[in-house]
Amino acid sequence: MYLYTVVIRVNPTTVALTLLIWVLIVSALWGLRYALFTALFATAVFNYYFLPPIGTFTIAGTQNWIALFAFLITAVIASQLSDRARKQTEEAVGRRRELERLYSFSQHLLTSDNVLQLLNAVPHHVVESFGVSAAAVYVPDKGNLYRSGIEVPDLDVDQLKSIIARGEPMVDSARNLSYTPLKMGVRTVGAIGVAGNFSRQTLAAMGSLIAIAVERANAVETLARSEAAREGERLRSAILDSVTHEFRTPLTSIKASITSLLSTPGLSSEDRQELMTVINEESDRLNRLVGEAAEVAQLESHEFQLDLKDCRVLDLVQAAVGDVRQILGKHPIEIRVPQETTVRLDADRIKEVLVQLLENAAKYSAPESPIRITAELKDASLEVSVADQGAGIDDMEQVLIFDKFYRGKNQRYRVQGTGMGLAIARAIVEAHGGKIGVTSQLGCGSVFYFQLPVRP
């Protein structure tokens, strides 16, 4: 008051406006209750110091009464408006935070396509996204209660079942608990309980998001099962087609040769010898097919033991090349293997892997294109590769070609085979503790490689 009466000497109007600003500041910072007290106090100050007679609470003249009441009413209304604006701002900020939390929560829900995994993760995401102490989800179709956070007895199956029957959100302010059904349109798929107070709008949004995520995961699982069933049926048909074709070809040749021998007694010795040779070769081929099928079953059941011995890698490669020399035909073979490299492994099994890779390289590349075999030690492991200059393998097929009975979609009817060779090779390499793979580019050939740990 000294500032107004002595230092700058202002008129009552200026004082009233200044006091109103003070009331508005108090209302904005601390709320209506403090603002009303400040308004009454400011009215008293204004009366005592600035309305005549100065220094008393007596009011002289009707004009001063009007001024005093106008000031008081203005201060009260301004306090209410300022308090309302402050509350609306706080509500807007709160809603924005709730929207941000709901958005973050919805992003978490999209990370899982498995229903059980999703239901296990939902309570944790609620606790993490909304900062509550506990959450529990119940879905009748799964029959389990999924929890996260501290143990809250009131978040139990019976309570959540009652929320499902009720069909609408419920807030228990006394116990600081909130419940909402998980509704997908008019259908309720479950319920969630949270240790915290939420608005009904937030609860409804949370329930809808969880219900949509559960239905989405269910739909993805159903689609995956349908796709797996279709793929299984397609693979089964392809397997039957491939195996039937491979077994029927030698049987047809054997049957035709025997029929010719039986029905034509006057065959020359040369023709008879040729037919007997066909029978012998096709019998060997049939025996090999049966042997491959039996070997796949044996390898997959792990009913075999590795005969580990020190072996010179160059000798192993040369022996494999010798075994498939007839199949290789006119393919030039380039061997890049250090002479001194010796590794402990099952020589017969690894030679079988090399034979499979060399046969594939010969079958799927041009007749006179070169085939390169390399071997080198890298970081306590032996890496052997067989490179060809064939048509190459599509990126999508590179992860499938080591599966049983799988054959390239563009090669399965052009080149004979059952699709078991690479599956056998993978099983042998993995039994040694190694891994097998391929790098390929369409039109530029393929490099099949396998890595084996160097054993002491």
Side-chain angles (χ1 to χ4, degrees):
M1 297 306 103
Y2 178 80
L3 176 67
Y4 286 148
T5 57
V6 178
V7 178
I8 58 177
R9 292 183 179 275
V10 295
N11 57 40
T13 303
T14 304
V15 173
L17 293 175
T18 306
L19 292 175
L20 282 176
I21 293 174
W22 182 32
V23 172
L24 290 175
I25 292 173
V26 172
S27 177
L29 294 177
W30 293 290
L32 182 61
R33 186 185 346 177
Y34 296 99
L36 290 176
F37 173 79
T38 304
L40 293 174
F41 179 73
T43 301
V45 170
F46 184 60
N47 179 26
Y48 188 82
Y49 288 101
F50 299 99
L51 290 180
I54 303 300
T56 69
F57 289 104
T58 304
I59 302 175
T62 304
Q63 185 177 1
N64 292 336
W65 276 104
I66 294 174
L68 184 64
F69 278 109
F71 175 81
L72 178 60
I73 293 172
T74 303
V76 171
I77 293 175
S79 300
Q80 290 179 333
L81 293 175
S82 177
D83 181 68
R84 185 183 301 172
R86 182 180 62 84
K87 287 181 178 178
Q88 289 176 347
T89 302
E90 290 176 352
E91 289 177 0
V93 171
R95 288 173 183 170
R96 178 179 60 81
R97 289 175 180 170
E98 286 186 354
L99 287 175
E100 290 174 350
R101 290 172 176 174
L102 286 170
Y103 175 76
S104 174
F105 180 59
S106 67
Q107 296 303 301
H108 287 309
L109 294 179
L110 295 175
T111 58
S112 177
D113 292 333
N114 179 276
V115 177
L116 292 179
Q117 181 183 354
L118 174 66
L119 292 175
N120 278 301
V122 163
H124 172 73
H125 293 330
V126 171
V127 171
E128 185 180 72
S129 299
F130 295 94
V132 296
S133 58
V137 174
Y138 174 72
V139 175
D141 289 346
K142 303 303 176 183
N144 292 325
L145 183 67
Y146 303 89
R147 293 179 175 273
S148 182
I150 64 175
E151 187 72 21
V152 179
D154 292 318
L155 297 179
D156 58 6
V157 173
D158 293 336
Q159 181 64 40
L160 293 177
K161 285 182 177 179
S162 69
I163 297 300
I164 294 175
R166 178 174 177 162
E168 61 181 19
M170 185 183 78
V171 179
D172 188 345
S173 302
R175 292 184 294 177
N176 193 34
L177 297 174
S178 300
Y179 305 92
T180 187
L182 310 181
K183 301 189 72 172
M184 184 71 178
V186 295
R187 188 164 63 90
T188 302
V189 301
I192 183 171
V194 181
N197 286 329
F198 289 88
S199 67
R200 287 180 172 270
Q201 293 83 356
T202 300
L203 287 173
M206 184 192 303
S208 296
L209 287 173
I210 297 173
I212 292 170
V214 171
E215 290 299 297
R216 171 183 169 275
N218 274 324
V220 170
E221 282 191 353
T222 302
L223 180 62
R225 284 194 295 268
S226 300
E227 187 64 29
R230 283 196 298 270
E231 185 64 21
E233 186 63 32
R234 187 195 63 78
L235 180 60
R236 207 161 28 244
S237 299
I239 289 171
L240 288 174
D241 179 61
S242 177
V243 172
T244 301
H245 179 268
E246 288 301 312
F247 277 88
R248 181 177 291 167
T249 301
L251 286 173
T252 301
S253 298
I254 293 171
K255 178 65 175 177
S257 299
I258 293 176
T259 300
S260 297
L261 287 171
L262 293 175
S263 62
T264 315
L267 284 174
S268 65
S269 59
E270 290 81 3
D271 292 339
R272 185 177 297 273
Q273 180 64 34
E274 182 180 352
L275 291 173
M276 295 297 290
T277 301
V278 170
I279 293 172
N280 182 59
E281 290 178 351
E282 294 301 325
S283 297
D284 289 341
R285 180 182 172 190
L286 189 61
N287 184 60
R288 182 170 60 83
L289 292 173
V290 175
E292 284 184 349
E295 186 172 12
V296 168
Q298 184 187 43
L299 290 170
E300 288 190 339
S301 62
H302 303 287
E303 295 178 357
F304 71 99
Q305 290 184 345
L306 297 176
D307 183 16
L308 300 176
K309 294 180 181 179
D310 289 337
C311 177
R312 201 159 71 107
V313 178
L314 180 58
D315 294 340
L316 190 62
V317 171
Q318 290 174 339
V321 172
D323 286 354
V324 294
R325 176 58 66 181
Q326 184 177 357
I327 297 175
L328 292 174
K330 297 182 180 181
H331 287 281
I333 304 300
E334 181 183 355
I335 299 176
R336 297 181 182 177
V337 180
Q339 292 188 1
E340 67 280 0
T341 303
T342 301
V343 180
R344 187 173 179 80
L345 44 75
D346 188 326
D348 292 336
R349 295 288 188 183
I350 296 302
K351 185 179 77 169
E352 186 177 357
V353 172
L354 285 168
V355 167
Q356 296 286 0
L357 297 184
L358 288 170
E359 284 184 354
N360 271 8
K363 288 178 181 178
Y364 296 103
S365 58
E368 297 184 3
S369 61
I371 297 174
R372 185 175 68 253
I373 308 170
T374 61
E376 58 181 331
L377 293 173
K378 288 184 177 180
D379 300 327
S381 66
L382 172 69
E383 181 171 314
V384 182
S385 63
V386 176
D388 62 56
Q389 296 183 6
I393 304 170
D394 185 80
D395 291 342
M396 296 293 293
E397 291 192 300
Q398 289 181 23
V399 297
L400 301 173
I401 57 175
F402 293 99
D403 293 342
K404 287 186 302 181
F405 303 110
Y406 185 83
R407 303 183 64 211
K409 60 184 179 181
N410 297 324
Q411 308 290 340
R412 60 185 58 162
Y413 298 112
R414 188 177 68 84
V415 180
Q416 292 183 347
T418 60
M420 291 188 288
L422 291 178
I424 292 173
R426 181 176 66 174
I428 293 173
V429 170
E430 290 179 351
H432 281 76
K435 64 178 182 178
I436 189 170
V438 62
T439 57
S440 182
Q441 185 176 358
L442 290 176
C444 299
S446 305
V447 179
F448 284 85
Y449 63 89
F450 60 91
Q451 296 175 337
L452 302 176
V454 176
R455 303 174 185 272

